[in-house]
Amino acid sequence: MQEIKLTDVRYRPKYHIAAKSGWLNDPNGLVYFKGYYHVFFQHYPYDAVWGPMHWGHVRSKDLIHWETLPIALAPDQEDGCFSGSAIEYDGKLFLIYTAHYNLKEDGSKSYQEQNLAVSEDGINFTKYQGNPVIKPPLANNTENFRDPKIWSDGQDFYCIIGGQTLDNRGQVLLYKSHDIYHWTFEKVLATSKVSTVQGTMWECPDYFEINGQKVLVVSPQGIEPDGEFYQNHHENGYFVGQEKEGNFIYPQNSFRELDRGHDFYAAQTLLAPDGRRILIAWLDMWEQKYHEQADGWAGMLSFPREITIEDGAVRMRPIRELGKIRRETLLNESTAQGQYTFSSPCVEVQFKAMQDLAFEFTRGFEKLSISYQNGKFLLEKTGYKQRKITWKMETLDVQILSDASSIEIFIENGPVISERFYGEGDLELKFQSTKDVAVKTYRLEL
Ligand code: FRU
């Protein structure tokens, strides 16, 4: 089969990760290995739609300049190589991924188990002969059993897997191994209490520590909208808690969304050599209109974000390496309202406002506007329902990253809003407030 070809580059991101052509969804296997950050991703190279899953692969020395490497995993004995993670062990790079098997014509059910693949050079991977290393659990879990996230405490290996109880609640299952090849089930680390409130299936778990606190990230399916919350087709959020005697202790009702935009899912993290916890997500949502499909590709990843916990909540900010791609300053002024045109969509816009603020981006057929007044953000985007985000703030400190088909809006101490944003031609920005706003804009280029 031939890889699908790009027919137009109008929506291709300049400084975000995308497959060189074909389909991309979840980021997988985020890891720092022998001088490079590696990012793998769910990938179908033969068409711009989801298909039998491969692992695409890019690497970077600085989280900014990405080099595309050969496809790391292709399904052969499996029907799909679903999401998973990576770890360095014994000088080698290990991938643990979900081997997905489709429903068969003879009526046998679909199922999922976990496999290993190993590489010496971080480029060529060999599937382990003894796969699967983790078989589906026997008790209280449906056929949904996927997206292993592996880590080590220096002595043993641990792995959490996304699952679903027999009564359709999401759960995360914890496994342990002393040698990475032999795994035993330890316990259920966390469960959705009520399927409609916390999800029917938890995909893509991640579990890590920041400043002595434990964070469990999950991508639940099946949460019903609740007021202004959970407006996406699936959600991506987290719990913050403590680990006591191997148990994750967390307030059961404390699930919070990581990002309040329309296009954010399946976030995963890695630990950088300098101790920063870096998060990358799929900058899309299932079942949307992906305009770039017309051009031979679909899907991109978020700009990498540094995450911290402040006042018990996860905060995300663009990685500081962003400074490397800031070119000339396009705007630097203080004014109560403005209107500007940028010939390239690759810009960073910063606003510092003392009170209410409204801004709007327009590009061809696309329009995205955000206003903040009386403790509420109002988000409007062409073709989508209005969205309200209640968030009390004294002043506004906003950082916006625009690329060829995305806009990510980081509000300091406030929500992060991630959006695919299409259109062609010039990017227009308008804003206004009742007081002067400090606005600064850089052109971004690799
Ligand atoms: C999440 C997900 C994962 C699965 C993968 C398949 O978006 O559904 O649970 O492993 O995508 O591509």
Side-chain angles (χ1 to χ4, degrees):
M1 257 196 295
Q2 288 269 309
E3 293 190 357
I4 186 170
K5 292 217 161 46
L6 291 185
T7 53
D8 198 326
V9 296
R10 57 193 165 158
Y11 300 137
R12 295 285 297 167
K14 300 284 194 298
Y15 60 93
H16 285 77
I17 297 171
K20 72 183 196 316
S21 70
W23 171 270
L24 166 152
N25 59 285
D26 313 353
N28 296 152
L30 268 52
V31 71
Y32 185 81
F33 175 69
K34 295 188 178 162
Y36 287 94
Y37 293 95
H38 290 258
V39 172
F40 302 82
F41 49 86
Q42 290 286 281
H43 181 41
Y44 186 58
Y46 305 114
D47 202 349
V49 296
W50 191 86
M53 281 290 106
H54 295 57
W55 277 37
H57 188 191
V58 294
R59 71 173 182 186
S60 170
K61 283 199 182 284
D62 60 3
L63 289 166
I64 296 280
H65 299 88
W66 296 97
E67 172 194 356
T68 299
L69 295 173
I71 285 175
L73 297 176
D76 35 46
Q77 75 267 30
E78 320 88 347
D79 293 319
C81 299
F82 277 17
S83 288
S85 55
I87 193 168
E88 174 172 359
Y89 171 49
D90 208 11
K92 302 188 191 84
L93 185 57
F94 283 76
L95 307 180
I96 183 160
Y97 66 96
T98 297
H100 171 81
Y101 298 89
N102 292 336
L103 193 86
K104 296 286 177 295
E105 270 163 22
D106 67 7
S108 51
K109 274 183 109 180
S110 69
Y111 64 99
Q112 303 180 323
E113 43 194 34
Q114 320 310 322
N115 283 358
L116 287 176
V118 190
S119 172
E120 304 267 350
D121 60 5
I123 299 176
N124 300 291
F125 290 84
T126 310
K127 290 180 186 168
Y128 172 53
Q129 293 285 320
N131 282 333
V133 291
I134 307 182
K135 290 208 168 129
L138 296 175
N140 201 17
N141 199 80
T142 68
E143 70 282 6
N144 289 306
F145 178 59
R146 58 179 176 269
D147 311 335
K149 170 77 187 206
I150 190 172
W151 72 93
S152 164
D153 62 3
Q155 197 159 10
D156 294 302
F157 295 94
Y158 296 87
C159 173
I160 47 170
I161 301 175
Q164 178 177 50
T165 61
L166 295 177
D167 64 351
N168 288 340
R169 289 174 297 119
Q171 62 180 345
V172 165
L173 306 157
L174 176 69
Y175 287 74
K176 185 173 176 181
S177 167
H178 57 282
D179 64 358
I180 215 170
Y181 298 105
H182 300 88
W183 292 87
T184 48
F185 172 68
E186 284 279 296
K187 63 180 72 159
V188 172
L189 193 70
T191 319
S192 154
K193 275 205 316 189
V194 180
S195 59
T196 52
V197 179
Q198 290 187 339
T200 53
M201 161 66 199
W202 283 359
E203 300 190 304
C204 303
D206 196 353
Y207 186 55
F208 48 86
E209 189 172 306
I210 301 184
N211 292 342
Q213 298 185 77
K214 287 280 180 183
V215 181
L216 176 69
V217 169
V218 286
S219 289
Q221 301 179 324
I223 298 187
E224 283 175 5
D226 175 12
E228 63 179 50
F229 298 100
Y230 317 131
Q231 298 289 324
N232 288 340
H233 184 62
H234 298 319
E235 310 304 332
N236 192 179
Y238 64 94
F239 299 95
V240 176
Q242 302 290 327
E243 198 173 275
K244 292 208 177 86
E245 287 154 16
N247 294 309
F248 178 51
I249 313 291
Y250 62 100
Q252 296 267 320
N253 290 324
S254 63
F255 180 75
R256 294 198 212 190
E257 289 161 271
L258 275 167
D259 190 294
R260 302 293 290 274
H262 292 94
D263 298 301
F264 186 91
Y265 197 61
Q268 288 286 298
T269 69
L270 64 77
L271 190 62
D274 61 10
R276 282 179 299 165
R277 181 60 62 179
I278 312 275
L279 178 146
I280 299 181
W282 181 31
L283 202 71
D284 284 288
M285 180 47 62
W286 288 107
E287 299 185 28
Q288 304 293 306
K289 174 135 185 65
Y290 314 100
H291 292 265
E292 69 272 26
Q293 278 176 327
D295 305 339
W297 66 285
M300 61 185 281
L301 300 183
S302 71
F303 191 72
R305 300 168 181 193
E306 288 177 25
I307 64 172
T308 54
I309 301 184
E310 290 162 39
D311 300 327
V314 171
R315 292 273 181 257
M316 306 193 282
R317 298 183 178 91
I319 48 165
R320 58 198 70 166
E321 287 84 346
L322 174 66
K324 286 186 158 202
I325 57 169
R326 278 187 189 135
R327 303 299 165 208
E328 66 276 15
T329 308
L330 301 175
L331 298 173
N332 190 3
E333 53 196 54
S334 192
T335 164
Q337 60 181 60
Q339 181 164 355
Y340 310 93
T341 302
F342 304 110
S343 54
S344 159
C346 298
V347 291
E348 174 187 350
V349 179
Q350 300 175 0
F351 293 117
K352 287 195 170 50
M354 295 304 290
Q355 44 197 280
D356 61 273
L357 173 70
F359 57 89
E360 176 181 297
F361 288 92
T362 317
R363 196 170 178 221
F365 64 85
E366 278 273 42
K367 187 184 276 191
L368 172 71
S369 64
I370 293 191
S371 64
Y372 183 72
Q373 234 180 355
N374 302 326
K376 274 197 194 335
F377 291 91
L378 186 68
L379 162 65
E380 292 180 280
K381 179 163 101 162
T382 329
Y384 289 80
K385 268 201 330 206
Q386 254 189 10
R387 188 171 282 193
K388 285 201 184 73
I389 304 170
T390 305
W391 210 302
K392 287 265 179 293
M393 296 198 305
E394 295 295 309
T395 55
L396 282 172
D397 184 345
V398 185
Q399 185 180 12
I400 302 167
L401 299 183
S402 164
D403 201 339
S405 55
S406 66
I407 293 190
E408 291 159 278
I409 299 160
F410 298 85
I411 297 159
E412 182 62 22
N413 293 318
V416 179
I417 296 168
S418 297
E419 301 287 335
R420 292 304 301 274
F421 184 78
Y422 299 90
E424 288 174 76
D426 292 345
L427 178 70
E428 315 249 347
L429 166 67
K430 269 195 231 163
F431 70 89
Q432 68 175 59
S433 174
T434 41
K435 277 228 168 133
D436 275 1
V437 178
V439 53
K440 197 161 190 186
T441 301
Y442 300 94
R443 188 172 67 81
L444 301 180
E445 191 184 306
L446 278 189

